[in-house]
Amino acid sequence: MSGRVTLSILTTLQLPDLTAKDYDDYYYKALYLSNNKTYYNIIRSHIVDSCNQDNPKHPLWDLQRYTRNLESGYLLAWEKFLRGESPEHIEVMDYLTTQNSKSVL
């Protein structure tokens, strides 16, 4: 579970270079990050800049938006259960995106 959460966070932050496919890959990425001050500062700046976004708020820091998206996912899972469907991956459309495009989940 923690690996999926980490992957989700790195994807949201648009930092796919930090994802690791196995322990060795993780080790070497961590080593590179710790020994390369320039790379570290680029990554750090990117994360700090993501915190400063206001319009629209960055999805990782916008808790109300996150909660609405999570609740949408729960509702989709519950509806599948009530229909007697087997559990499977559920894709939740981002609340802000659907609000701006007038789409309905």
Side-chain angles (χ1 to χ4, degrees), residues 3-42:
R4 289 183 293 205
V5 171
T6 302
L7 179 60
S8 178
I9 289 170
L10 291 174
T11 301
T12 301
L13 288 172
Q14 298 176 343
L15 292 170
D17 293 347
L18 294 182
T19 59
K21 53 186 177 260
D22 56 32
Y23 178 79
D24 288 338
D25 192 31
Y26 172 82
Y27 176 82
Y28 289 113
K29 285 178 187 282
L31 193 61
Y32 183 74
L33 187 62
S34 67
N35 289 323
N36 187 324
K37 189 73 170 172
T38 302
Y39 183 64
Y40 169 83
N41 285 331
I42 289 169

Side-chain angles (χ1 to χ4, degrees), residues 10 18 21 31 34 48-49 53 66 77-78 91-92 97 102:
L10 291 174
L18 294 182
K21 53 186 177 260
L31 193 61
S34 67
V48 169
D49 289 346
Q53 293 181 5
Y66 174 83
W78 179 247
E91 185 173 341
V92 176
T97 302
K102 306 288 190 240

Side-chain angles (χ1 to χ4, degrees), residues 29-101:
K29 285 178 187 282
L31 193 61
Y32 183 74
L33 187 62
S34 67
N35 289 323
N36 187 324
K37 189 73 170 172
T38 302
Y39 183 64
Y40 169 83
N41 285 331
I42 289 169
I43 297 298
R44 185 179 184 286
S45 264
H46 184 81
I47 293 170
V48 169
D49 289 346
S50 79
C51 295
N52 295 328
Q53 293 181 5
D54 290 327
N55 190 19
K57 289 183 178 179
H58 195 282
L60 193 59
W61 315 120
D62 186 349
L63 294 180
Q64 289 178 339
R65 180 177 171 188
Y66 174 83
T67 301
R68 284 189 293 267
N69 289 335
L70 182 61
E71 289 171 344
S72 294
Y74 288 154
L75 182 60
L76 290 170
W78 179 247
E79 289 170 348
K80 287 180 76 58
F81 171 78
L82 291 177
R83 289 190 303 266
E85 297 176 18
S86 298
E88 63 180 14
H89 177 77
I90 295 173
E91 185 173 341
V92 176
M93 297 298 295
D94 181 60
Y95 177 80
L96 187 61
T97 302
T98 58
Q99 289 299 103
N100 289 339
S101 64

